[in-house]
Amino acid sequence: MAARQLKEFTREEVAQHNKPDDLWIIIDSKVYDVTRFRNMHPGGAFVLTEEGIPGQDATEAFYGLHRHEVLERPQYQRLQIGTIKDEKPVIIARATGQLSKVPYAEPTYLTEGYHSPYYTESHRAFQKAVRQFVDEVVYPDAVAREEDGKRPSLSVIAKMTELELHAMRMGPGKHLKGRTLMGGIVKPEEFDYFHELILHQEFSRHGQRGYGDGINAGTLIGLPPVMNFGNDALKAKIIPEVLAGKKFICLAISEAFAGSDVQGLKTYAKKTEDGKYWIINGTKKWITNGVFSDYFTVGCRTDEGFTVILVERCEGLETKPIKTAYSPTAGTAYITFENVKVPVENTLGPEGGGMFVILSNFNHERWMMCCSAAQAQRMALEECLKWTNQRKAFGKPLNSQAVVRAKIAGMISRVESGQAWLELITHQMCNMSYKEQAKYLAGPIGLLKMYLTRSGQETARDAVQIFGGRGITRTGMGKGIEHYHRTNVFDSILGGAEDVLGDLGVRQAIRNIPKNARL
């Protein structure tokens, strides 16, 4: 269909259309006929007929009430009838895949004029490709699924498989060997933890917290025990189909009876008399992706002690969705096991050795959460910087108020310090063996997660104060801030409560104080 031809008007011509039955307005050099739309305006007809709006430039008034994306919706694009002669739009939305030009909206390594000792051209090319993919493929699905509560679309999962994104989200390792990563942008042997950091942060940019967990977060924590402790036959079956996006897996540890207290779990696995099977009975709660998972990495009590067992969805295993503060798209589940029969070959690691199996992946899981938490806080900062620059109060922009600038100063400090600490730990990970990471980084990663989750909650509170009523409204100008304020607390609970992790870091430090250290 041929593109609609738009006419050119002078501002004087537009000004003549200033009556309720003949109503035009100007928004950023574009002319809109809102005559018939006037009575359909969600905020009421008065908004379009108050003084200074009919026939006039309503750009400032529009951006005080609406996000730019409103103008890009088809139903509102149709209202445009022309442009102002010899004028060009000033406000241009960020193009797909592009970097934001707003100060502090991007990490320093992506900011023009700044430098970083950590990132190479390989990392920059990788970041560019991942952002393009997230903007084009992931973001539209994230917004739709967060709203309707359905699981992430299988079409998105399939496109991620094509680029080996599922495999890369597991981090560097031999599982990447022979794979073509991101269309060949990075070789498997070159892929490091900074590539992975980029991946987690870019995948957080859609801003939909429930969807972020829904898009295979269960794999990131449920598959490593299989990769590291499963027998060869189990790995040969499970790993390929999960990394291909054909099957889904989750980690099932927490119960209503015990969370951080893993030793208090009540789900019990008992061997049959012939010793060939486990019979599992019990429950699990708050299990991410549990609703739609095919496999469950389950923590159980056994006669030998805490043991981890891989369970395939079968008779006697039922999952029910749990309503939480974020969207059902995460697939958060309550799971019941009633005489579930599992081959003993599905035991991950030694019987009674489950604590080591679970603890071995905690560092990486918590580090991944730090990546996402740091990015989410940065996005809240960008929202506040934009809003305070365009919103006027008492005749002046919000950012002319000292109290508002003080809040933003705190946000910037928290965002930049958190990212710097994250990158420092990531650098250590790149230069340590897995065993060294377990020895030296459990405490620092625990403290970093505590810092990011606590600072995130402070940023969320300040952001709501800056946005006012809009910051507690799920739609409109403050929808991103409302969502962040409502869901950022998840990071302080999942992967280990922030208080427990802070204590872990301090206890590790205390153990390493030299015995002869004195004031």
Side-chain angles (χ1 to χ4, degrees):
M1 191 171 77
R4 184 162 59 99
Q5 293 295 317
L6 296 175
K7 296 181 180 180
E8 285 192 340
F9 302 96
T10 64
R11 287 180 174 266
E12 289 73 22
E13 289 174 323
V14 174
Q16 296 174 16
H17 301 270
N18 60 7
K19 303 291 190 298
D21 59 350
D22 181 21
L23 182 56
W24 294 8
I25 61 173
I26 302 168
I27 301 176
D28 193 26
S29 82
K30 298 175 183 178
V31 180
Y32 295 85
D33 182 347
V34 294
T35 306
R36 288 188 290 178
F37 173 69
R38 176 175 61 89
N39 290 323
M40 295 183 287
H41 188 278
F46 171 77
V47 176
L48 293 172
T49 57
E50 67 174 325
E51 185 178 356
I53 300 299
Q56 302 300 311
D57 192 323
T59 302
E60 186 175 303
F62 175 85
Y63 284 105
L65 296 171
H66 302 290
R67 302 177 75 89
H68 181 75
E69 63 194 48
V70 170
L71 295 177
E72 298 177 329
R73 296 173 185 167
Q75 65 266 39
Y76 300 123
Q77 287 182 335
R78 288 195 291 269
L79 300 178
Q80 186 183 354
I81 58 173
T83 60
I84 297 298
K85 186 177 181 180
D86 299 327
E87 292 187 23
K88 298 291 182 183
V90 175
I91 301 164
I92 301 174
R94 183 181 66 84
T96 300
Q98 280 192 351
L99 299 175
S100 173
K101 297 296 184 182
V102 176
Y104 301 104
E106 303 283 2
T108 304
Y109 84 97
L110 293 175
T111 305
E112 186 177 355
Y114 287 80
H115 308 276
S116 170
Y118 303 125
Y119 299 90
T120 65
E121 287 308 310
S122 171
H123 295 120
R124 297 176 191 278
F126 182 73
Q127 180 277 327
K128 186 175 181 180
V130 175
R131 178 163 299 188
Q132 190 75 29
F133 179 84
V134 171
D135 284 356
E136 290 182 352
V137 178
V138 179
Y139 179 77
D141 192 56
V143 173
R145 300 293 78 79
E146 189 78 19
E147 183 65 26
D148 64 24
K150 297 179 181 178
R151 65 183 295 183
S153 300
L154 294 180
S155 59
V156 174
I157 301 297
K159 289 178 181 178
M160 290 173 65
T161 300
E162 293 173 9
L163 297 173
E164 299 290 4
L165 284 162
H166 302 303
M168 286 187 284
R169 292 175 80 199
M170 303 302 298
K174 58 185 179 181
H175 63 283
L176 298 179
K177 187 177 181 180
R179 299 179 185 270
T180 302
L181 309 183
M182 212 64 200
I185 286 179
V186 57
K187 297 178 181 178
E189 61 271 20
E190 295 175 347
F191 188 89
D192 64 14
Y193 287 109
F194 277 102
H195 288 99
E196 189 189 355
L197 182 154
I198 290 168
L199 198 53
H200 294 309
Q201 294 205 318
E202 291 297 324
F203 261 74
S204 299
R205 287 184 56 80
H206 53 67
Q208 311 300 315
R209 186 63 176 80
Y211 185 91
D213 280 354
I215 194 160
N216 288 17
T219 296
L220 305 184
I221 55 179
L223 189 59
V226 178
M227 296 171 67
N228 297 321
F229 298 97
N231 60 50
D232 290 341
L234 207 59
K235 289 190 283 190
K237 177 180 184 292
I238 307 298
I239 296 173
E241 56 188 13
V242 171
L243 294 186
K246 295 178 180 179
K247 292 290 182 73
F248 302 88
I249 191 171
C250 65
L251 181 67
I253 302 295
S254 296
E255 299 178 1
F257 310 103
S260 298
D261 178 20
V262 175
Q263 296 291 356
L265 299 178
K266 293 188 177 182
T267 297
Y268 186 72
K270 185 175 180 62
K271 279 186 180 178
T272 55
E273 290 186 5
D274 59 11
K276 293 182 178 180
Y277 296 93
W278 292 108
I279 303 298
I280 303 176
N281 286 280
T283 62
K284 296 292 177 183
K285 196 171 185 180
W286 305 293
I287 306 306
T288 303
N289 296 178
V291 169
F292 51 78
S293 282
D294 303 289
Y295 298 110
F296 303 80
T297 301
V298 185
C300 303
R301 284 195 305 114
T302 67
D303 290 342
E304 298 295 326
F306 180 60
T307 303
V308 179
I309 304 169
L310 181 73
V311 181
E312 188 169 2
R313 188 180 283 271
C314 60
E315 184 179 355
L317 188 158
E318 291 188 5
T319 57
K320 299 176 183 178
I322 295 175
K323 291 183 179 181
T324 66
Y326 64 17
S327 171
T329 190
T332 308
Y334 180 79
I335 307 174
T336 58
F337 301 85
E338 293 187 9
N339 295 319
V340 173
K341 192 175 183 179
V342 183
V344 293
E345 288 79 12
N346 283 27
T347 306
L348 303 178
E351 294 180 32
M355 187 61 70
F356 179 73
V357 173
I358 297 303
L359 290 177
S360 66
N361 193 53
F362 269 165
N363 278 356
H364 188 253
E365 175 189 355
R366 292 162 180 168
W367 172 82
M368 289 189 298
M369 295 185 68
C370 288
C371 295
S372 300
Q375 179 60 42
Q377 191 173 172
R378 185 178 295 278
M379 291 174 66
L381 167 61
E382 181 181 11
E383 292 277 294
C384 289
L385 284 167
K386 288 179 178 178
W387 175 243
T388 57
N389 199 49
Q390 70 190 63
R391 173 66 170 173
K392 287 192 174 181
F394 309 107
K396 297 180 180 180
L398 272 183
N399 58 17
S400 69
Q401 304 292 330
V403 66
V404 172
R405 294 196 302 272
K407 289 184 183 297
I408 292 177
M411 291 182 186
I412 293 172
S413 300
R414 293 189 289 271
V415 165
E416 290 300 310
S417 58
Q419 182 75 17
W421 193 357
L422 172 63
E423 290 177 351
L424 176 63
I425 286 179
T426 305
H427 179 66
Q428 306 308 315
M429 293 168 64
C430 288
N431 290 278
M432 287 182 181
S433 66
Y434 206 75
K435 186 176 181 180
E436 288 174 323
Q437 290 179 34
K439 179 180 179 181
Y440 294 111
L441 297 182
I445 290 175
L447 289 166
L448 172 61
K449 184 174 179 293
M450 183 194 75
Y451 175 73
L452 286 170
T453 56
R454 287 188 175 177
S455 65
Q457 291 176 58
E458 187 174 357
T459 290
R461 287 195 302 270
D462 284 348
V464 168
Q465 292 301 310
I466 286 173
F467 272 78
R470 291 172 173 83
I472 54 173
T473 305
R474 291 197 179 195
T475 58
M477 298 295 288
K479 63 180 181 179
I481 297 304
E482 185 279 331
H483 186 91
Y484 180 62
H485 183 259
R486 172 165 43 91
T487 62
N488 83 91
V489 71
F490 277 70
D491 292 323
S492 69
I493 301 298
L494 304 183
E498 64 180 27
D499 293 325
V500 174
L501 296 188
D503 185 58
L504 168 67
V506 174
R507 284 189 290 110
Q508 187 179 82
I510 290 172
R511 285 198 304 269
N512 292 324
I513 295 176
K515 292 183 178 180
N516 62 350
R518 296 291 186 276
L519 291 176

